[in-house]
Amino acid sequence: MIRLENVSKSYQAGVPALNDVNLEISPGEFVFVVGASGSGKSTLIKLLLAELRPTKGKIIINGKDLKSIKHKMIPKFRRNIGVVFQDFRLLADRNVYENVAFAMKVVEASNKEIKRKVPMMLSMVGLAAKYRSLPKQLSGGEQQRVAIARALVNEPKILLADEPTGNLDNKNAWEIMKLLDEINQRGTTVVVVTHNMEIVKAMNKRVITIKKGVVISDEEGEEA
Amino acid sequence: MKISTLLYNFKQGLKNIWRNKMFSLASVATMAACIFLFGIFYSIGVNFEDMVKEAEEGVAVTVFFNSDATDEQIAAVGEQIKSRSEVAKYNFVSSEEAWDQYKDIYFQGNEEAAASFEGDNPLAGHENYEIYLADVSKQDELVSFLEGLDGVREVKHSEVAANTLSDFNKLLTLISGFVVAILISVAVFLISNTVTVGISIRKEEIAIMKLIGAKDSFVRAPFIVEGVIIGLVGSAIPLIALWFLYGGIVRYVADKFEFLSDMVSFVSVKDVFHVLVPVSLALGVGIGYLGSRFTLRKHLKV
């Protein structure tokens, strides 16, 4: 569960990037966060990943208060959150299998476990046949699938996707959205930050709109 | 950390070295130069120290007694000498032994002249203690102490020899320490640069690691491995070179400059390397570790 209580975040002495935000996202929800550039979406993602600490207010994720979380506890906390970026952030010198396995190496999983889970994840995102390809040999959509497999391989409870379709054509963008929906159906909480309103409308999910650091609307999808 | 993780980080460290080969090579070369110079200074130092020690052993303090000094007083002085830490060894020389020594030196080949003193010891009352020092720099202190004891008439010593040896020893230690400190700073700086380059090359990978939930130790480990391997290789190369060089020089001097090898004796290769190998390896690994650790703290906010 994700809960933000009166959260504000200011960078030095400027206009707050987020101002008095109150939010609650239940386990298993699929939520879109939308807003123009500079509205505070990226700040929200960074706060949820404990990359930043709020200037004011409380952020509680999976029962942990991020304002008081100790530095050495952050890695453990992040293992429960998968993250996907617009620019995929894959390691260019490693193939598909190694990119996904890397996430498990980082959390010190055993080789046996890695060999068991990575092919499973690659099958789930439809890339089992391309496990030896380097990122540059894949399309944008395929690269984003690898990134999703990497984000999910450690079985996080929450998946944060920051503009996951930003670099993709319409067809690939839809495929990625379908994949995220499938992941959500399996029980993972999915939070997608985007400004692709066409997709947001078509998906019919809960939509939180941020403008100049303030939540101006929070609408449930018809599906909910 | 699991064994598989250790192996993974070790491999990553090796990959780091390979990825920025030129910087790694420069660091190994600098480290090798540092350890090589350290080895040379150490070899010279250890030989000089050995010579000083040998010379020190020849520097003696002699204690003479008043003509009315009793045997008890002389024995008490002996006890006092025994208790001093700067004393390596001491001998009591009776007036008879003193005369025998004198005869051996000055009446050699002229035993008849010596025989004319039969029954009359010209060195009667010259019984003394010969004291050899373990630390020549404490000679003055010992002399003042001995002069203050009951029954002591005179304490003979060579002030110039003691002071010169002691000062020279201090100077050599000071110079070696200074040079080694500079070399260590240069090596730390270079390793730090290599690790900085490694961090900038792997910036993206490190950022991903952190977001996925890597512990600080996991992020740091490959860089520490990199620094330690550079340190290890950089100290092993000069040690091998020094082994052959030192042995070669000792043999060359012994062959070509016989007069020199009569005057001074070199410390054996084994004795020099008995200390030089562990110290150099520890220095190399230590500098590598500290260099990377210091850089990580500065550039890698994990």
Side-chain angles (χ1 to χ4, degrees):
Chain A
M1 207 247 292
I2 301 171
R3 197 165 78 231
L4 279 78
E5 292 174 14
N6 309 106
V7 170
S8 295
K9 176 67 194 174
S10 301
Y11 297 101
Q12 292 161 346
V15 183
L18 282 181
N19 195 5
D20 202 28
V21 171
N22 287 287
L23 274 181
E24 194 163 320
I25 298 171
S26 305
E29 259 196 288
F30 190 122
V31 179
F32 281 110
V33 178
V34 299
S37 292
S39 57
K41 302 190 304 284
S42 296
T43 301
L44 178 66
I45 290 278
K46 284 181 178 170
L47 286 170
L48 296 181
L49 281 169
E51 272 193 83
L52 295 174
R53 299 217 177 204
T55 315
K56 246 173 60 187
K58 248 184 179 182
I59 300 176
I60 294 164
I61 298 179
N62 297 332
K64 291 258 171 352
D65 182 355
L66 297 195
K67 197 166 183 183
S68 55
I69 192 169
K70 284 184 181 160
H71 176 79
K72 67 173 183 182
M73 294 310 291
I74 290 176
K76 204 176 168 194
F77 160 75
R78 284 185 183 153
R79 290 175 190 188
N80 280 315
I81 299 181
V83 59
V84 175
F85 300 95
Q86 180 176 354
D87 54 0
F88 323 129
R89 298 200 191 169
L90 299 176
L91 299 171
D93 61 338
R94 290 174 217 194
N95 65 31
V96 167
Y97 182 94
E98 288 165 340
N99 263 286
V100 179
F102 176 68
M104 293 189 77
K105 280 277 177 202
V106 161
V107 300
E108 299 180 41
S110 68
N111 287 335
K112 198 176 156 193
E113 187 80 343
I114 291 172
K115 279 180 192 158
R116 188 179 69 82
K117 280 179 81 181
V118 175
M120 255 168 60
M121 285 316 300
L122 290 177
S123 297
M124 193 194 96
V125 298
L127 283 173
K130 294 198 170 182
Y131 74 102
R132 290 173 86 171
S133 304
L134 287 170
K136 66 179 176 192
Q137 296 167 320
L138 302 175
S139 70
E142 287 170 330
Q143 287 188 57
Q144 195 60 290
R145 283 167 185 273
V146 179
I148 291 171
R150 184 182 65 190
L152 291 176
V153 75
N154 290 323
E155 297 173 24
K157 290 178 184 155
I158 299 166
L159 177 67
L160 297 180
D162 189 4
E163 301 282 5
T165 58
N167 278 353
L168 305 179
D169 57 35
N170 220 22
K171 183 177 165 273
N172 276 310
W174 269 110
E175 281 179 2
I176 291 299
M177 276 303 158
K178 271 191 227 158
L179 181 59
L180 292 178
D181 199 23
E182 273 173 42
I183 291 161
N184 175 244
Q185 302 295 325
R186 293 176 193 200
T188 309
T189 308
V190 177
V191 179
V192 180
V193 170
T194 184
H195 51 244
N196 188 336
M197 291 313 289
E198 193 192 330
I199 283 180
V200 172
K201 277 177 194 154
M203 292 284 287
N204 250 329
K205 304 281 184 185
R206 181 179 164 194
V207 181
I208 296 166
T209 309
I210 302 179
K211 192 176 178 186
K212 291 181 182 172
V214 178
V215 174
I216 55 164
S217 72
D218 186 348
E219 293 164 2
E220 294 294 337
E222 284 169 18
E223 198 186 70
Chain B
M1 213 178 260
K2 287 180 182 172
I3 293 175
S4 62
T5 309
L6 276 174
L7 283 174
Y8 176 79
N9 282 324
F10 185 75
K11 268 191 209 163
Q12 292 304 312
L14 289 177
K15 272 188 188 171
N16 279 0
I17 293 174
W18 185 246
R19 272 182 204 145
N20 43 13
K21 303 184 239 336
M22 293 318 286
F23 273 91
S24 305
L25 208 63
S27 298
V28 167
T30 316
M31 177 68 82
C34 292
I35 299 291
F36 187 74
L37 284 174
F38 168 74
I40 287 181
F41 269 90
Y42 177 77
S43 307
I44 294 172
V46 87
N47 272 288
F48 185 76
E49 205 172 289
D50 192 58
M51 287 174 209
V52 168
K53 215 170 183 187
E54 219 168 85
E56 275 180 343
E57 281 168 7
V59 175
V61 171
T62 317
V63 184
F64 293 99
F65 300 93
N66 293 327
S67 52
D68 57 351
T70 62
D71 287 349
E72 286 75 26
Q73 276 178 320
I74 294 171
V77 170
E79 284 304 310
Q80 294 281 2
I81 294 168
K82 196 177 170 185
S83 67
R84 304 288 294 189
S85 61
E86 65 269 39
V87 172
K89 60 174 181 173
Y90 72 102
N91 305 317
F92 177 71
V93 182
S94 65
S95 50
E96 289 72 29
E97 284 165 338
W99 175 231
D100 288 343
Q101 284 174 6
Y102 191 88
K103 280 193 291 185
D104 286 347
I105 299 167
Y106 297 104
F107 288 91
Q108 210 171 28
N110 196 8
E111 282 76 15
E112 281 174 28
S116 65
F117 288 97
E118 194 65 51
D120 179 21
N121 182 354
L123 293 184
H126 276 74
E127 56 269 58
N128 60 71
Y129 280 112
E130 273 177 6
I131 306 167
Y132 298 91
L133 295 165
D135 182 358
V136 94
S137 67
K138 289 191 176 159
Q139 184 182 265
D140 285 349
E141 201 183 308
L142 179 70
V143 169
S144 326
F145 171 75
L146 294 170
E147 283 172 343
L149 296 178
D150 276 350
V152 171
R153 169 167 55 90
E154 191 185 6
V155 180
K156 282 192 173 171
H157 61 281
S158 167
E159 203 166 302
V160 178
N163 288 345
T164 309
L165 284 173
S166 161
D167 289 351
F168 204 73
N169 213 355
K170 270 187 209 159
L171 186 69
L172 190 79
T173 311
L174 210 69
I175 293 174
S176 317
F178 183 68
V179 172
V180 168
I182 289 177
L183 292 175
I184 287 175
S185 318
V186 172
V188 167
F189 175 74
L190 266 146
I191 286 193
S192 162
N193 267 0
T194 309
V195 171
T196 307
V197 171
I199 290 171
S200 64
I201 289 174
R202 297 182 62 203
K203 219 171 181 174
E204 185 71 15
E205 189 178 333
I206 292 166
I208 295 167
M209 276 190 204
K210 285 160 69 179
L211 285 174
I212 291 171
K215 284 186 201 157
D216 290 0
S217 57
F218 187 90
V219 179
R220 286 193 192 111
F223 297 102
I224 302 279
V225 168
E226 186 183 356
V228 168
I229 289 177
I230 288 174
L232 205 62
V233 176
S235 52
I237 293 171
L239 280 174
I240 296 167
L242 279 165
W243 174 274
F244 289 108
L245 193 70
Y246 184 83
I249 287 175
V250 169
R251 274 194 302 277
Y252 183 79
V253 170
D255 286 353
K256 303 278 175 188
F257 305 98
E258 245 175 82
F259 73 95
L260 203 62
S261 54
D262 287 343
M263 282 163 61
V264 291
S265 61
F266 287 99
V267 179
S268 72
V269 183
K270 266 191 184 169
D271 284 345
V272 172
F273 277 76
H274 186 67
V275 177
L276 191 59
V277 170
V279 171
S280 298
L281 289 178
L283 258 179
V285 170
I287 292 170
Y289 177 80
L290 288 178
S292 39
R293 186 89 208 199
F294 166 76
T295 315
L296 288 167
R297 188 180 291 184
K298 204 171 146 196
H299 295 284
L300 197 67
K301 290 192 175 66
V302 287

